[in-house]
Amino acid sequence: MPRLIEPPPTPPKDLGGGGEGGERFLLPTGLVGLLVLLGVVTSLFAALLSAYLVRMGFPDWQSLPKPPLLFLNTLLFGLASWALEGASRRAQLGWAMGEGWAYSGLGLGLALCTRQNLHRA
């Protein structure tokens, strides 16, 4: 029986697994973590979508009613986002280029918020 003071025996070189330590994994650790997270989220989304589609096939399935604000608010939200993105891109060239886009995005965003608050009251 080996004593605790003695170092463990070294394995022969031809068994593998040791290596010189010079080899590196080609992908950075952060990218590997991001790819694993992306795989998990994609699998979860696919499982929930599959359950939703299977559940729709049952005879007691009832779809949710669509609120009256849905379509116009979606349009306002999309236009406001488009205008603010245009303002951001043009502002990189100078504020005067993106000023009109920024104000139109602000107006569309305020119109969206006003519609939401008026409907809630």
Side-chain angles (χ1 to χ4, degrees), residues 33-97:
L34 180 65
L35 291 174
V36 168
L37 177 68
L38 201 58
V40 168
V41 170
T42 302
S43 299
L44 181 63
F45 178 75
L48 289 174
L49 181 65
S50 173
Y52 178 73
L53 292 175
V54 167
R55 182 69 180 99
M56 282 177 58
F58 285 97
D60 64 341
W61 175 260
Q62 295 178 358
S63 65
L64 295 173
K66 294 181 178 49
L69 290 176
L70 178 68
F71 300 109
L72 185 58
N73 282 358
T74 303
L75 179 68
L76 283 174
F77 185 74
L79 288 175
S81 298
W82 179 64
L84 290 174
E85 178 64 27
S88 172
R89 291 180 186 268
R90 285 164 181 79
Q92 292 173 354
L93 304 173
W95 170 246
M97 296 287 293

